[in-house]
Amino acid sequence: MITIGNIQLPGFPLLLAPMEDVSDPPFRAVCKENGADLMYTEFISSEGLIRDAIKSRKKLDIFDYEKPVGIQIFGGDEDSLAMAAKIVDVTNPDLLDINFGCPVKKVACKGAGAGVLKDIDLMVRLTDAVVRSTSLPVTVKTRLGWDENTKNIEEVAERLQDVGIKALAIHGRTRSQMYKGEADWSLIAKVKNNPRINIPIFGNGDIDSPQKTLEYKNRYGVDGIMIGRAAIGYPWIFREIQHYLKTGDLLPAPTVEERIAVSKNHLRKSVEWKGAVVGINEMRRHYSNYLKGLPGIKEFRNRLVVLKELEEVEAVLDEVQQYYQGFEIDRSPIVLENYHEHCAI
Ligand SMILES: Cc1cc2nc3c(=O)[nH]c(=O)nc-3n(C[C@H](O)[C@H](O)[C@H](O)COP(=O)(O)O)c2cc1C
């Protein structure tokens, strides 16, 4: 059992990573149904929350069925982060996570994000301000450091633990690496093996299969893993890993029926949460992933991405199900794309 403050998680929890424009409630719902143990919202600007920006406020929406769930905020100013923490408190998530070091311009130019990775004292002050403003367990997600010469995660972990964080998730790259190269988990393991560290340490970066999860679990000894890109269009990754860790067996790839069921569920939740127009539009980018590997699926997909009515989309999804009934799809290797334009924490 892993505990974060008063949250109890299973022995080796699988976390869904916070992902801007991806980890919204509809996506979280399908990941939860497929075995994610702890999930986070996409990052929310502390300044946006304070200004009452609609977009930021909307991201605070969390639902009972997704618990335990954490809300992630970012910012570079102590007072703003503290105030944002108080706003988050009212929405009653299970934990509050701070995103440190987001390098995208819209964040860095406002003095938040990237600079924080270069200035540990500031990072500690910001964290301290949040911990003191909320009764929620506070956790942090960060990278190894700013660049090759400043991989200061070991010091960061100790100092953030000292000001009261209850767990730390580490992406095994520096900021300047963005998504280049392979994530280096050896420093994550060093943090985990530091006898001074007693909070859970979660490893993150490049996990894309059950086998890799087991290998990294054994090799690096982390308390759990966080999965980002591999879950996009493939929420089944969570149950595949859970099953493999428990039994040593690989589950067969999801059937056509399961793929359609998840697509429909995701679609319905998108429409409920975003409204019909945006919900149907934003769902379009997911079909090719959910239906990957079905020969000739492009034709159906081309129809799916122009339809405007929920019933029409659902009817085409039903057609897909009928057309491919019983068709067995191999689990093709997941390709982790580079998302340079996104927050690369
Ligand atoms: C589209 C996208 C959006 C992201 N947005 C966030 C975010 O809002 N907050 C955050 O801490 N990290 C964000 N990240 C980084 C991921 O949480 C994760 O650390 C990174 O993708 C590495 O994990 P992976 O190899 O499992 O994908 C984002 C990543 C992607 C691909």
Side-chain angles (χ1 to χ4, degrees):
M1 186 93 75
I2 296 288
T3 52
I4 302 178
N6 52 5
I7 311 168
Q8 299 204 322
L9 298 170
F12 187 74
L14 307 182
L15 283 53
L16 170 66
M19 288 185 282
E20 189 188 16
D21 290 336
V22 179
S23 312
D24 55 11
F27 180 67
R28 296 201 300 267
V30 297
C31 289
K32 182 74 184 183
E33 275 169 22
N34 281 286
D37 294 306
L38 172 63
M39 308 189 293
Y40 300 79
T41 62
E42 47 192 313
F43 72 164
I44 311 177
S45 155
S46 52
E47 303 291 343
L49 282 180
I50 295 165
R51 281 199 321 273
D52 208 13
I54 293 170
K55 200 173 162 212
S56 301
R57 289 279 168 148
K58 181 83 179 150
K59 291 180 183 171
L60 289 175
D61 284 357
I62 47 171
F63 298 89
D64 277 346
Y65 57 77
E66 45 181 344
K67 285 181 163 266
V69 63
I71 288 182
Q72 189 188 62
I73 57 174
F74 70 92
D77 176 76
E78 283 171 60
D79 294 338
S80 307
L81 269 176
M83 226 185 288
K86 291 203 166 86
I87 296 170
V88 169
D89 244 24
V90 181
T91 63
N92 206 20
D94 297 277
L95 62 85
L96 194 164
D97 188 70
I98 317 175
N99 166 320
F100 278 132
C102 178
V104 289
K105 268 198 196 144
K106 66 179 177 187
V107 176
C109 290
K110 290 181 190 147
V116 183
L117 273 171
K118 279 182 177 167
D119 185 345
I120 306 181
D121 290 340
L122 174 64
M123 194 191 267
V124 172
R125 283 202 307 279
L126 295 172
T127 308
D128 189 40
V130 172
V131 170
R132 281 188 289 106
S133 317
T134 176
S135 52
L136 295 167
V138 174
T139 61
V140 162
K141 175 163 178 279
T142 189
R143 287 191 171 218
L144 300 177
W146 174 260
D147 61 17
E148 200 48 35
N149 302 317
T150 51
K151 291 189 182 170
N152 43 27
I153 189 64
E154 289 169 87
E155 181 188 346
V156 164
E158 287 195 3
R159 291 185 62 187
L160 295 185
Q161 176 179 277
D162 290 345
V163 293
I165 67 163
K166 296 288 189 273
L168 179 64
I170 307 168
H171 177 187
R173 288 187 175 87
T174 61
R175 185 269 168 193
S176 56
Q177 271 180 294
M178 302 296 275
Y179 282 89
K180 286 195 289 281
E182 230 182 285
D184 172 10
W185 283 55
S186 56
L187 260 186
I188 305 177
K190 260 189 159 174
V191 172
K192 172 61 202 162
N193 292 326
N194 176 350
R196 269 259 285 131
I197 293 291
N198 50 45
I199 54 171
I201 300 297
F202 300 121
N204 170 238
D206 298 351
I207 294 293
D208 59 3
S209 69
Q211 296 95 321
K212 190 165 185 179
T213 305
L214 181 61
E215 191 190 323
Y216 277 34
K217 175 181 188 274
N218 292 339
R219 194 185 309 161
Y220 300 110
V222 291
D223 293 299
I225 58 151
M226 178 183 272
I227 298 175
R229 290 167 295 166
I232 301 177
Y234 204 84
W236 302 284
I237 183 99
F238 293 103
R239 71 165 193 201
E240 287 184 352
I241 295 173
Q242 304 278 19
H243 187 80
Y244 188 70
L245 293 182
K246 215 183 285 169
T247 67
D249 295 330
L250 290 171
L251 279 177
T255 61
V256 174
E257 287 72 17
E258 284 169 319
R259 288 166 189 264
I260 295 297
V262 165
S263 304
K264 280 185 167 178
N265 190 9
H266 195 161
L267 169 66
R268 265 194 301 271
K269 290 245 165 19
S270 291
V271 169
E272 275 168 29
W273 188 62
K274 303 174 187 179
V277 175
V278 180
I280 289 170
N281 268 351
E282 289 195 356
M283 191 57 205
R284 290 174 180 164
R285 55 195 152 114
H286 293 286
Y287 298 121
S288 22
N289 285 320
Y290 283 144
L291 304 174
K292 201 151 87 194
L294 293 170
I297 190 65
K298 208 168 157 207
E299 211 180 291
F300 287 104
R301 198 195 63 92
N302 290 347
R303 286 168 59 199
L304 285 168
V305 298
V306 291
L307 295 173
K308 292 192 166 67
E309 300 295 328
L310 178 63
E311 294 71 27
E312 292 172 340
V313 179
E314 286 184 326
V316 174
L317 288 171
D318 287 338
E319 254 185 75
V320 173
Q321 179 162 330
Q322 269 193 336
Y323 186 84
Y324 291 99
Q325 204 163 28
F327 189 90
E328 283 178 25
I329 315 167
D330 282 345
R331 182 189 191 277
S332 43
I334 293 170
V335 180
L336 296 181
E337 291 178 38
N338 291 327
Y339 285 89
H340 292 289
E341 74 279 19
H342 281 284
C343 178
I345 262 293

